[in-house]
Amino acid sequence: MSKLRNMRGVEIPRFRAVSSGPQTLERLFGAGDGFSAWVEGHKELLKKSVYEPNDFLWHEDGDVDRSVWILAVEDGVTQADTAPYEIIEFPGGMFLAATADENDPEDLNGTVDCMMDWIASSSVFTYGDFPQSGMCNMPNPDGAFDRALGIAQQQIFLPLKPREVEG
């Protein structure tokens, strides 16, 4: 199967990022001293982008209570700059990407199901290894577009690897 049916294939390069480490979503995004508060106070360390966000979230071992949020950092940012959070090397890779409404479980699950069906029937790719849960981000972090539509767009990225050629 080669038609992407409203999905897209993306190649994400290797990059350095500050990582939250595994945390609950409440700890990541809750008020107070969580990771999102740290991010708000350290924006000068983060890579700027003209179009796509430079962050991803995934669930460690498929467990929603162990989520990791990473954000690309500028060149020259050191471990001392990001303490108490670690800098990691995101390995990059090939991903199947699609967008769904985060607030609509039917849309979200249907989109992931369609993506999984595409991968299962692909003669070129199989499901990749990292991150096993797939990953996501919000394409409009300021929210004006989403507020106008009354939705919360979530980009979903499922890892791909080339199918091994039999022979």
Side-chain angles (χ1 to χ4, degrees):
M1 174 183 296
S2 61
K3 299 288 183 186
L4 288 172
R5 296 187 296 187
N6 297 321
M7 296 174 275
R8 63 189 173 123
V10 297
E11 296 177 44
I12 299 173
R14 177 180 301 272
F15 64 91
R16 292 174 60 243
V18 61
S19 173
S20 66
Q23 297 185 21
T24 64
L25 292 175
E26 182 179 326
R27 181 80 177 122
L28 283 174
F29 299 107
D33 64 348
F35 188 65
S36 64
W38 182 91
V39 168
E40 286 299 314
H42 294 84
K43 288 188 175 191
E44 74 281 0
L45 303 177
L46 307 177
K47 277 246 191 235
K48 310 299 181 275
S49 177
V50 173
Y51 173 62
E52 288 286 337
N54 289 322
D55 71 307
F56 297 100
L57 180 130
W58 65 82
H59 305 304
E60 278 294 286
D61 305 320
D63 180 357
V64 73
D65 289 326
R66 291 176 30 90
S67 297
V68 176
W69 184 19
I70 65 168
L71 296 96
V73 293
E74 291 285 352
D75 296 340
V77 171
T78 69
Q79 186 64 54
D81 297 325
T82 63
Y85 301 103
E86 291 187 32
I87 293 177
I88 66 162
E89 181 94 5
F90 181 77
M94 294 183 293
F95 295 85
L96 183 63
T99 305
D101 183 353
E102 179 179 70
N103 294 329
D104 181 347
E106 187 174 319
D107 184 48
L108 193 58
N109 293 332
T111 300
V112 171
D113 289 346
C114 183
M115 295 170 78
M116 294 298 286
D117 289 346
W118 186 90
I119 294 169
S121 62
S122 173
S123 61
V124 179
F125 296 106
T126 61
Y127 197 89
D129 300 320
F130 181 79
Q132 194 59 41
S133 68
M135 57 190 192
C136 64
N137 67 18
M138 304 302 280
N140 300 305
D142 293 335
F145 190 89
D146 288 0
R147 280 191 305 277
L149 292 176
I151 64 172
Q153 290 184 87
Q154 181 181 98
Q155 292 188 121
I156 303 159
F157 298 83
L158 298 183
L160 299 172
K161 62 182 175 184
R163 186 174 289 281
E164 292 187 23
V165 178
E166 296 176 16

